[in-house]
Amino acid sequence: YRVVPLACVRIKQQSGLIFCRLGRVDVSVFGELVAKARCELPFTRVLDGEQPRDSLNRYLQAVLAPLAKRLILDSDFQVACDQVDDPSATSGRYLRSVFKATMEPKFKWKKTARSLGMVQVRSTRTTGGSPHTASLGRRFCSGIAGMYVSPRPPDMYALIDKEADNGRSLPPANKRLALYTWIPQWEYDWLRSTETGRAALREWLGGGEPRPPPL
């Protein structure tokens, strides 16, 4: 039995949407795209001798550097404990220190992230500045009455690495690309906590078929 300490951050916009990772895309040496779907808040492991805030600051500077300077981070954090959900791992629990943060009102998201153009992860809705609340209706209410249709995906983004970016939407071979999005809290909970939500996420990333909700 083991306990894995993690430092997580819940980033929220003024609109109420939260920032989360929907998974990642690995690019093999043969140029094949392999997607792994998993909805989660940005997090990192707390190393031996580190405090959770030190671990989070390290992660922000290394992974979320384009956002780090525009975050207003709360001084306090909440601690949550849940079971390790990796079937290949030994039994144990995650001890999560969850920090809350908000984006600065004048933060320019389009200068920080690249909207992905890959077919299997691209949103089918337009991106012409429509309010998120209106787009949710188009994403979740696109089926025929009495017939379940998996909702359309939200827009997905990759953070821009100004030092490594050469105008590509995909990373080079043997590299991975994290997929991020902004979604409401209820959709985050749905993607994480229900089989229907997890199935929809796998479909968005090209890894499965939609499943109807239980009767």
Side-chain angles (χ1 to χ4, degrees):
Y1 188 86
R2 61 177 182 146
V3 175
V4 181
L6 304 175
C8 312
V9 59
R10 183 185 300 275
I11 304 172
K12 182 180 290 189
Q13 289 183 347
Q14 283 188 318
S15 64
L17 300 180
I18 64 171
F19 182 72
C20 65
R21 193 173 79 167
L22 294 183
R24 71 170 189 257
V25 174
D26 297 334
V27 182
S28 71
V29 292
F30 303 104
E32 298 174 338
L33 303 181
V34 181
K36 182 177 181 180
R38 184 183 179 88
C39 182
E40 57 196 359
L41 296 177
F43 74 93
T44 187
R45 185 167 180 171
V46 179
L47 302 179
D48 292 341
E50 281 187 334
Q51 294 296 319
R53 179 173 288 275
D54 297 330
S55 303
L56 180 61
N57 287 334
R58 168 175 54 80
Y59 176 78
L60 291 176
Q61 297 302 321
V63 179
L64 299 184
L67 281 72
K69 294 182 179 180
R70 300 298 184 181
L71 287 180
I72 303 174
L73 196 63
D74 289 359
S75 57
D76 297 329
F77 62 89
Q78 296 178 334
V79 177
C81 190
D82 52 17
Q83 189 172 356
V84 172
D85 52 5
D86 183 355
S88 63
T90 56
S91 61
R93 290 187 176 277
Y94 291 122
L95 185 65
R96 302 179 188 269
S97 299
V98 184
F99 293 82
K100 293 182 179 181
T102 54
M103 298 301 307
E104 290 184 352
K106 296 183 179 180
F107 175 70
K108 303 296 184 182
W109 171 248
K110 291 184 178 180
K111 294 184 178 180
T112 302
R114 181 188 303 282
S115 181
L116 297 181
M118 294 178 291
V119 174
Q120 60 266 54
V121 297
R122 184 175 178 83
S123 171
T124 54
R125 68 177 176 85
T126 60
T127 57
S130 300
H132 285 279
T133 52
S135 66
L136 284 171
R138 292 197 296 273
R139 288 175 48 214
F140 279 83
C141 303
S142 58
I144 302 174
M147 179 182 297
Y148 176 75
V149 176
S150 182
R152 298 175 180 178
D155 290 326
M156 301 184 196
Y157 302 90
L159 295 181
I160 296 175
D161 185 342
K162 293 184 178 181
E163 295 182 357
D165 183 70
N166 293 313
R168 294 189 298 253
S169 292
L170 294 177
N174 272 342
K175 298 294 182 179
R176 61 183 50 175
L177 185 72
L179 307 177
Y180 297 99
T181 192
W182 292 93
I183 55 177
Q185 179 68 49
W186 64 263
E187 186 175 0
Y188 170 81
D189 295 334
W190 178 70
L191 292 172
R192 280 189 58 85
S193 305
T194 70
E195 179 55 34
T196 306
R198 289 189 289 267
L201 180 56
R202 290 193 296 269
E203 184 196 4
W204 293 348
L205 270 62
E209 296 297 328
R211 298 183 183 180
L215 299 177

